[in-house]
């Protein structure tokens, strides 16, 4: 059972142990600041990004393997204009942290808007305290429709 007050696991940063929950919160802060290199440093070299996701042509929902390939995820975000990105609920399950977010963005090429209430992010950690697996839980059909006009015009 996941509980917001259940904090286990973590890694040492300087003389302080950082919990996985704190790491995830820091990643969101870094994302807000546009510090992608700092985010990448929190990922395992062999991170699985968008693990277990079904096939989609949505650029930001593509499965990626390895820290170097996750850069492509961040590059794909140039196709959207983020209006709202609010992580609001954090569930700490030790080696896994689940986050609910409210997200709203517009696909630049089509002008289509996507609004996700309670989008899900799943963060899994390895023994070194690095993110080993990550995935979004979103309405992939809605994302696909938002880019479809863009695909038809390319």
């Amino acid at each position: 059972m996941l509980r917001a007050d259940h904090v286990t696991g973590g890694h040492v940063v300087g003389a302080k142990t950082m919990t996985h929950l704190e790491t995830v919160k820091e990643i969101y802060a870094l994302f807000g600041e546009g510090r992608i290199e700092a985010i990448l440093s929190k990922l395992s070299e062999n991170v699985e990004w968008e693990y277990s996701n079904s096939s989609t042509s949505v650029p930001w929902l593509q499965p990626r393997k390895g820290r170097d390939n996750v850069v492509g995820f961040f590059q794909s975000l140039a196709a959207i204009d983020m209006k709202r990105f609010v992580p609001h609920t954090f569930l700490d399950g030790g080696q896994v942290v689940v986050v609910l977010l409210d997200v709203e963005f517009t696909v630049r090429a089509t002008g289509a808007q996507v609004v996700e209430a309670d989008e899900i992010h799943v963060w899994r950690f390895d023994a070194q305290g690095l993110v080993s697996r990550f995935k979004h839980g979103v309405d992939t059909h809605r994302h696909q429709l938002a880019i479809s006009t863009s695909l038809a015009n390319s």
Side-chain angles (χ1 to χ4, degrees), residues 28-116:
Y28 288 123
L30 293 168
F31 180 74
E33 297 167 4
R35 297 179 54 202
I36 305 310
E37 287 297 322
I39 294 171
L40 294 173
S41 74
K42 308 287 184 194
L43 309 181
S44 164
E45 186 176 326
N46 297 313
V47 65
E48 293 178 62
W49 198 263
E50 295 302 340
Y51 70 93
S52 303
N53 274 359
S54 59
S55 178
T56 178
S57 59
V58 178
W60 50 89
L61 297 178
Q62 294 301 302
R64 301 170 201 278
K65 178 81 170 160
R67 184 186 306 140
D68 292 341
N69 290 321
V70 173
V71 172
F73 163 76
F74 293 103
Q75 291 170 336
S76 74
L77 297 180
I80 66 174
D81 181 19
M82 190 68 70
K83 305 285 187 193
R84 183 176 175 164
F85 185 89
V86 181
H88 58 78
T89 304
F90 294 80
L91 305 169
D92 187 341
Q95 293 300 106
V96 62
V97 176
V98 178
V99 182
L100 302 179
L101 308 89
D102 291 336
V103 177
E104 180 179 341
F105 63 88
T106 302
V107 176
R108 294 176 194 260
T110 65
Q113 186 176 29
V114 174
V115 178
E116 292 271 0

